[in-house]
Amino acid sequence: TRLAARRRRAARGTIDLRRTVRGSLSTGGVPMKPVLRRRRPVRPELVLLCDVSGSVSGFSDFTMLLVQALHDQFSKVRVFAFVNRIDEVTGFLRHGTADPEGLGSRIQAEARLTGWHGSSDYGVALGEFAERYGDAVGPRTTVFVLGDARTNMSDPNLPALREIAGRARRLYWLNPEPRAQWGTGDSAAPDYAGVVDMHECRNARQLGSIVSRLLPV
């Protein structure tokens, strides 16, 4: 709703004072018809990197619904899923469809998400994304990482995340775990949060709060 409202306001534009005054000369200086300064349309670019490993299975429906909602709102979206390998799954999404279970099942069955084991490895996934799909991110791109940042004690590969962040216009990380658990066990959340803007987000209330801060209306 906030995205749609901001888009409608942007489409209306702001008053062009100079052209409005010039146009009022024919009505004795009374600005009967304000002239609006139209904003040049910009195609929003969004890239989503989604952890679909077992450790976030409890949040999979929320994640899939969020992915589908963003896919419907933006005209240019690319979606990638990973466990310890990363694969593009944009083609699995359909506009106007809210089927998180079906989408999650298709991703698990058809995407290449694992290599030599079935545990999550953020370092390998981020490195593979930077190497294979780096051209998906540019100066107009906003990147969202959706995941708990649990690396199973593997190298978090902070240089790869810095490389992605350096290419993007913005990079945000939505972590479904409570902030109090960041950094416990195999969580590399504090390390990643030192590189990018990380938010606790596992329900609609938290998402609404984040949107209020990032996209004020």
Side-chain angles (χ1 to χ4, degrees):
T1 300
R2 288 181 180 272
L3 285 169
R6 191 176 71 164
R7 193 166 297 152
R8 286 195 300 270
R9 188 174 68 245
R12 288 195 299 267
T14 58
I15 294 178
D16 188 325
L17 185 59
R18 180 177 298 178
R19 293 175 63 193
T20 298
V21 171
R22 187 185 306 129
S24 71
L25 296 177
S26 62
T27 56
V30 180
M32 301 296 293
K33 187 177 181 181
V35 180
L36 298 180
R37 181 186 297 111
R38 297 290 182 179
R39 295 185 180 182
R40 297 180 65 183
V42 176
R43 293 188 66 194
E45 298 180 12
L46 193 67
V47 168
L48 310 176
L49 309 182
C50 307
D51 178 3
V52 294
S53 65
S55 65
V56 292
S57 59
F59 309 102
S60 60
D61 280 0
F62 176 76
T63 299
M64 292 299 103
L65 279 172
L66 176 58
V67 167
Q68 289 173 326
L70 290 170
H71 182 257
D72 285 347
Q73 281 289 338
F74 286 84
S75 61
K76 190 174 183 182
V77 180
R78 294 181 70 177
V79 183
F80 300 83
F82 67 90
V83 176
N84 54 59
R85 297 288 305 276
I86 196 162
D87 198 4
E88 182 165 8
V89 297
T90 309
F92 296 171
L93 283 88
R94 298 290 182 269
H95 282 287
T97 300
D99 179 19
E101 186 175 348
L103 175 59
S105 297
R106 288 195 301 276
I107 290 174
Q108 292 288 349
E110 300 177 37
R112 295 185 58 192
L113 306 175
T114 60
W116 54 96
H117 59 83
S119 301
S120 58
D121 189 327
Y122 276 76
V124 170
L126 291 171
E128 187 174 12
F129 176 81
E131 181 178 350
R132 292 179 56 196
Y133 302 106
D135 60 349
V137 180
R140 291 185 176 179
T141 310
T142 297
V143 179
F144 279 92
V145 180
L146 311 178
D148 60 7
R150 292 200 171 271
T151 62
N152 287 290
M153 300 302 180
S154 60
D155 178 8
N157 198 354
L158 298 180
L161 185 63
R162 291 193 186 97
E163 180 180 346
I164 298 167
R167 294 178 181 177
R169 180 183 182 188
R170 298 187 184 93
L171 195 156
Y172 303 108
W173 192 308
L174 304 186
N175 190 330
E177 286 198 332
R179 188 177 294 270
Q181 296 181 16
W182 295 4
T184 64
D186 62 347
S187 170
D191 296 326
Y192 288 132
V195 177
V196 302
D197 193 7
M198 184 177 289
H199 302 269
E200 178 183 334
C201 184
R202 62 181 173 278
N203 55 48
R205 178 184 57 80
Q206 291 174 323
L207 178 62
S209 177
I210 293 168
V211 170
S212 296
R213 296 197 300 271
L214 300 184
L215 299 172
V217 174

